[in-house]
Structure formats: C-alpha cells, structure tokens
Amino acid sequence: MHERLPVRLKPRPAMARFFVKHRVAVLRKSRPLTAVIVILLALAWIVLPLRAQAQQMRFIRDAEVEHTIRAYATPMFGAAGLDPSAIDVYLVNDNTLNAFVAGGMNLFLHTGLLRAASGPMQVMGVIAHEAGHIAGGHLASRRKELESTVPAMIASTLLGLAAGVVTGRGDVGIAVARAGQGAAITNLLSYTRSQEGSADQAAVTYMNQAGYSPEGLLAFMEVLEGQEVLLTNNQDPYLRTHPLTGDRIEFLRRAVKESPYTGQDAPTRLRAMHARMVAKLDGFLDAPRKTLRKYEGETTLAARYARAIAHYREPDLDKALEILDGLLAEHPDDPYFHELKGQMLFEHGRVEQALDSYRRAVELRPGEPLIRLALAEAQLQTNDPKLNGPALDNVQRVLNSEGNNAFAWRLAAIAHGRAGNTGMTALSLSEGAMARGDMRTAREQAVRAQKLLEEHSPAWLRAQDIQREAERRLKKREG
C-alpha cells in the first residue's frame, strides 16, 4: 500500500459545498434576485464536470489490491464484451459504500465498499452492474439527459425570479423555482431508474455467463435497501446515485432463484485474495490499535498480514518483520509479502536490505509497475552510481505501461539528472507536470528541454508537443 505515493488530485476545499448550501438558506430570507443568483450557483455545482468533482477524491495505489480487483473485474468485463485492459480502475480512499463509472472507460471503487463486502461475489456483482452501464452506453445517455434537464431547471428559476418581482414577495419566487426544479429533477431521476434496471439485467447476464450467481449483487442491494429510511445525508452515496426500487430487488431475487450457480461460493483462490485485500486495507487505513484489536487472537494468514502492517505503522518494525518473516517462511514465493517487506525496510532507512526484497518481488511479478517503481526508488536512494542505469531502466518500463505516472516521471528526472542529461531531465519534469495538470510548469520545462535537446530529435519533438498542448489548455482555462 503506497500511502506515501498516493495518486491524487488537488482537493477542492471541504467548505465549498457547505458554503453554497448555507448561503442559499440565509439568502432565501432576503431579496429575490440575490436568492436566485445563489440558486444558480448551486445549480452550477450540480453540473460541474467530472474533473472538478474528482478533485475532492483521494486515490490510493496498491499492487496487490489492484491485482485482486482485476481478478474480479476481468470475467465481468469479458462477459460484457468489453476489453478489460481498456478500462482503468481507480481506488478511492473513502469509507462509504460507492462505485461508479465516469469519464468513459473508468471504474471507481471506494475502499469502504471493498472492506464492507462479505466476499468477492458482492464486489463482482457491483462491478458487473457498472459494466452494464458502460456496455449500455448509459454515460452518454445520462449526459444528454442532464443537458436537457438543466435548461428546464434554469427556466424554472428565472420564472421564479419573475414571480417574485411581480408580487414583491421573495417566498413566491422561491416556491415557483422549487416546483420547477423539483419536476426536472424527478424526470432525470426516473430516467436513471430505468438505466439502473437495465444495468441489473445486464449484470445478471454477465454473472451467469462468467459462472457466478448474481446473489452477491442481491446481497449488496439488500444492504442498501435497509438504508432507504435514512436521511439522504446519512445514506451511502451508492444509494443516492443508483436509485433503488422494490422492482429491482424483486428482479434480483428471481434471478438468484433461476441461476444455475446459486449456492456455489466463489473459488477458494478468490476468497483468499479477498480476505487478504480487506486485511491489507484495514491495516493501512485504520489506526494500528484498531486493527490489532480487530484481528487479536486470529491465526489466519489474513489476520497475521493485518497485524504485521499495524505493527509496522505503530511503528514497531521488529514485531512487524517477525510476523512477516513467518508468512514468508510459509510462502517464500509470494511477491506481495516481499514487496511489503521492502517497503517496511525502505521506510525505516534500511535501503540496502530493502533492495533484496524489492528485487525478489520484481522477479516474481515482473509485469507489475508499482513494484518495479518501488525498486527504482530504492535504487536511486542508495546514491550508488552503478544503480542509476538500472533504476532508469525500471522507471522506463513503468512509463511504458503508465505514461501518466507523475511520480515515475519525477524519478526519471532524477536519474537523467545524475547522468548529466539535462535535456531529458527537463523533458521528464515537463511530462510529470502534465500528468499532475500543472500546465505552467509543463510549458516552462518543455521550452527549456527544447533548448537543451538535439533539434528535431524524438525527445525534442515531444517537448514541442507538450509545449503546444500546455499552451492550448492554459488558453482554454483563461478564455
């Protein structure tokens, strides 16, 4: 778990949503015009693009957890006729139950959902449902429906303004605006309910085609069904964004009865992976004392895994290594145990020892970019000139599969700098800035790279492309 290397966007201030809500409540008591302005601000919040909403999310990366999710998702995506490698999966560090698809072929899963799931089939059911949204083209349809709904909401707001001006009563304007907006929102909600039913039907098909009963999806929906009586603010976001109806529950219950796979549990391999994933998330995301209490007295592999992580975070490295070495004695070829040992040693300053663990993890999982990136970082931290070349090679192999990995570009810049290649250093800094969304730095470093690189070389042409793209995005923002 790379908490020290999170992939995250700059967070929007937490007060923003509260500010809009609070100002609407206050200004409803004042002039109608001011109230309508704030209503339009609230409306703007609803239709903010995904990028702005994503700025509130905190993402985490972990090779083992991502591998587990891929093991769940691949058969579901395959059954949906989707290319699993074309869909990016993001882990959102949020303890609520939620999952959604957005921005094209992107699946977002909250860690709260993963930790709350009783087994792999619940998560697989949710993924199958989200695959139904992608395969059904619901993202484009939902965007089109939202575009047609927004003008109706604006029109009702302006109608409310006119009513308030004519009558001289702000409460009349607010009432008219509320009624019109309520109708528009209801229309949008009913449309998305039909999409939810369609995605459920698709999920059942995908689960059966992959050889699994849809009972996992039913179990998850039944958990949400118990939340319907809660106030909206207390409901998990999945329920708010995926409207739940009695018809959907009944459909899933019938589907479970009809499935030839009902009663069959997930394969032992997937259940073991799930237990390890939950234990790892618990160990890294909860306070160490809480994790130790939860797994106290348990002797399962997952429980010992969680306790090793908790002790490492206390920090009690000796105790953590004692438990982890015991796990490695039983499973000497487990790449994720070697990776974790490398991380423990690295973060406690024992870099030379960490190298051996990271190298072994890479040998066992050579195609895993996050493990290879950790090895490259450790190699550079030794300050050994002999390891600069191998580190750069490892970073380049990471970038071949994750070209927008900002941290990998940062390591590339360090390695090029130590090799005296200032042009490639500037280009790497420019690439990293692009990956972070820092267009000004990207442009500055791209201009610098062009002055240092051989003219018309592939690297020089790439720097020129970055400069143009950064300038285009800056102009779009400022315009």
Side-chain angles (χ1 to χ4, degrees):
M1 180 74 63
H2 294 275
E3 288 188 310
R4 72 183 191 279
L5 303 177
V7 178
R8 66 180 67 182
L9 302 177
K10 294 180 181 179
R12 173 181 291 273
M15 290 296 291
R17 188 184 295 268
F18 168 79
F19 176 78
V20 172
K21 182 179 179 182
H22 178 69
R23 293 299 294 168
V24 169
V26 171
L27 292 174
R28 278 176 177 168
K29 301 176 182 178
S30 60
R31 295 178 297 132
L33 177 60
T34 310
V36 171
I37 290 172
V38 180
I39 290 171
L40 291 174
L41 286 174
L43 177 61
W45 179 270
I46 295 173
V47 297
L48 278 175
L50 172 66
R51 181 180 181 85
Q53 295 180 31
Q55 289 178 345
Q56 301 177 76
M57 295 188 289
R58 294 168 53 237
F59 298 93
I60 61 173
R61 300 291 309 273
D62 181 80
E64 182 177 13
V65 175
E66 291 178 10
H67 174 69
T68 299
I69 297 303
R70 283 290 177 187
Y72 294 171
T74 295
M76 300 301 108
F77 292 150
L82 303 170
D83 178 5
S85 65
I87 299 175
D88 292 323
V89 178
Y90 296 90
L91 303 176
V92 182
N93 185 9
D94 191 303
N95 207 36
T96 57
L97 303 184
N98 202 12
F100 55 95
V101 288
M105 307 282 274
N106 299 294
L107 171 65
F108 297 80
L109 294 168
H110 280 209
T111 54
L113 184 149
L114 301 178
R115 296 169 71 188
S118 60
M121 288 175 63
Q122 285 194 19
V123 181
M124 293 170 76
V126 172
I127 293 174
H129 177 93
E130 299 304 322
H133 283 308
I134 296 176
H138 295 169
L139 295 178
S141 300
R142 191 172 290 179
R143 188 180 301 113
K144 183 177 180 181
E145 182 71 7
L146 182 59
E147 288 172 356
S148 66
T149 300
V150 169
M153 296 177 72
I154 293 175
S156 67
T157 300
L158 295 177
L159 179 62
L161 171 58
V165 171
V166 170
T167 64
R169 292 179 55 189
D171 57 339
V172 173
I174 293 296
V176 173
R178 266 181 165 177
Q181 291 168 16
I185 292 172
T186 299
N187 290 337
L188 179 61
L189 191 60
S190 63
Y191 182 79
T192 57
R193 279 175 177 158
S194 69
Q195 289 182 334
E196 292 306 304
S198 174
D200 287 340
Q201 294 177 30
V204 168
T205 300
Y206 304 156
M207 293 288 285
N208 282 323
Q209 287 182 358
Y212 298 97
S213 166
E215 55 193 313
L217 180 58
L218 172 61
F220 178 73
M221 294 299 178
E222 287 177 336
V223 170
L224 295 177
E225 187 180 29
Q227 293 191 14
E228 285 194 304
V229 298
L230 298 176
L231 294 174
T232 301
N233 288 342
N234 295 324
Q235 292 173 343
D236 277 301
Y238 195 88
L239 184 59
R240 300 199 296 271
T241 57
H242 296 66
L244 187 62
T245 65
D247 289 343
R248 290 180 63 196
I249 294 290
E250 285 306 311
F251 166 76
L252 290 173
R253 286 173 179 161
R254 290 194 303 271
V256 168
K257 289 181 180 179
E258 296 169 1
S259 173
Y261 304 104
T262 295
Q264 298 180 20
D265 205 345
T268 302
R269 178 181 68 91
L270 290 184
R271 296 202 306 272
M273 291 170 69
H274 187 84
R276 285 179 56 154
M277 175 179 68
V278 173
K280 195 169 196 179
L281 290 171
D282 286 346
F284 274 105
L285 300 181
D286 282 341
R289 289 288 103 190
K290 181 178 180 179
T291 302
L292 293 173
R293 285 195 301 271
K294 177 178 178 178
Y295 292 95
E296 184 178 7
E298 294 186 33
T299 59
T300 63
L301 182 149
R304 288 180 287 161
Y305 201 16
R307 287 201 296 270
I309 296 169
H311 284 303
Y312 145 68
R313 293 183 59 229
E314 279 187 315
D316 185 346
L317 182 60
D318 290 340
K319 184 63 176 178
L321 289 175
E322 178 186 341
I323 297 173
L324 190 55
D325 284 340
L327 291 172
L328 278 166
E330 298 172 14
H331 305 276
D333 294 330
D334 190 302
Y336 304 112
F337 290 161
H338 285 287
E339 179 199 21
L340 179 60
K341 185 173 182 178
Q343 182 176 344
M344 288 180 177
L345 293 167
F346 179 85
E347 293 189 357
H348 281 80
R350 293 158 64 171
V351 180
E352 295 287 348
Q353 293 174 274
L355 282 174
D356 291 335
S357 294
Y358 279 140
R359 286 192 183 108
R360 181 59 179 148
V362 168
E363 288 174 3
L364 293 166
R365 291 284 296 177
E368 177 48 64
L370 291 182
I371 299 178
R372 192 173 288 276
L373 189 61
L375 172 59
E377 183 185 16
Q379 289 171 326
L380 290 174
Q381 283 289 337
T382 64
N383 293 313
D384 184 348
K386 295 179 181 179
L387 293 180
N388 195 64
L392 184 57
D393 178 66
N394 282 319
V395 170
Q396 189 56 57
R397 293 180 66 172
V398 171
L399 290 170
N400 288 341
S401 59
E402 296 190 0
N404 64 343
N405 191 315
F407 186 74
W409 284 115
R410 176 185 168 192
L411 295 185
I414 293 172
H416 283 302
R418 290 180 180 178
N421 193 339
T422 54
M424 289 302 297
T425 298
L427 179 59
S428 297
L429 291 173
S430 181
E431 294 272 17
M434 282 289 289
R436 296 193 309 274
D438 182 355
M439 294 301 111
R440 294 189 185 281
T441 300
R443 179 181 61 186
E444 291 169 3
Q445 291 296 335
V447 170
R448 177 169 172 259
Q450 290 173 70
K451 295 176 181 178
L452 297 168
L453 293 166
E454 180 183 350
E455 191 171 354
H456 301 301
S457 66
W460 184 90
L461 292 171
R462 174 58 183 164
Q464 190 178 65
D465 289 342
I466 293 176
Q467 179 188 349
R468 289 172 178 167
E469 178 62 16
E471 289 174 347
R472 185 190 69 80
R473 295 191 191 181
L474 285 169
K475 185 177 180 180
K476 184 178 180 180
R477 289 180 189 175
E478 295 167 356

